[in-house]
Amino acid sequence: MDTLAFIILIVGMLAMVILPVLMIVATWKLFDKANEPGWKALIPLYSTYIQYKITWKTQYFFLLLGCLCVTLIIPLSEFLSVFLLPLALIAYAVIFFLNLISAHKLSTAYGHDIGFTLGLIFLQPIFLIILGFGSSKYEGPQ
């Protein structure tokens, strides 16, 4: 039984290394399809900004960034965290809905419909790789 556990451990570790690399390469290819330099996929926040730029409006990226800052700052203030809990909950809700809308905008920007959007929401790594390596063409923001 120890051999099986070792094999599962090795496969899990390989997946933890290979999957992020595949997602970065898929995002690179998505950016190339949208006539954006692919290297922008390597910079974490900047790649999200570019994704918002090619799928819809960048103002929503700054709303997302503000909500992320709120959710990071509130836990740091122990005394105020009780009073600011409603603000944190609103920020989490905004982040959730922005991610849902962003998945739909990404799907429609590459010519897909609600079924592909659901795939991006529930199985993002797989569907991002399908978008990047597949035959989807960039059609622009819808």
Side-chain angles (χ1 to χ4, degrees), residues 18-121:
I18 292 172
L19 190 61
V21 170
L22 275 175
M23 288 186 61
I24 289 171
V25 173
T27 306
W28 185 303
K29 294 181 85 52
L30 281 177
F31 289 175
D32 282 342
K33 288 179 180 182
N35 294 324
E36 287 286 337
W39 62 265
K40 293 179 180 181
L42 299 173
I43 305 169
L45 280 176
Y46 191 51
S47 68
T48 306
Y49 172 79
I50 296 301
Q51 181 179 336
Y52 273 71
K53 179 181 168 187
I54 64 176
T55 57
W56 52 329
K57 299 178 182 176
T58 56
Q59 294 93 325
Y60 296 113
F61 168 76
F62 292 109
L63 176 62
L64 175 73
L65 192 61
C67 289
L68 288 173
C69 289
V70 166
T71 61
L72 290 175
I73 291 172
I74 289 176
L76 295 177
S77 59
E78 293 177 22
F79 176 72
L80 293 177
S81 65
V82 173
F83 299 109
L84 297 176
L85 182 64
L87 181 63
L89 293 175
I90 291 170
Y92 281 121
V94 169
I95 292 168
F96 176 75
F97 285 112
L98 281 176
N99 285 334
L100 290 179
I101 296 168
S102 178
H104 181 65
K105 295 289 187 177
L106 181 64
S107 175
T108 57
Y110 285 89
H112 296 283
D113 56 1
I114 191 71
F116 206 88
T117 300
L118 292 173
L120 280 170
I121 291 169

Side-chain angles (χ1 to χ4, degrees), residues 11-21:
V11 169
M13 289 174 58
L14 283 173
M16 288 175 57
V17 171
I18 292 172
L19 190 61
V21 170

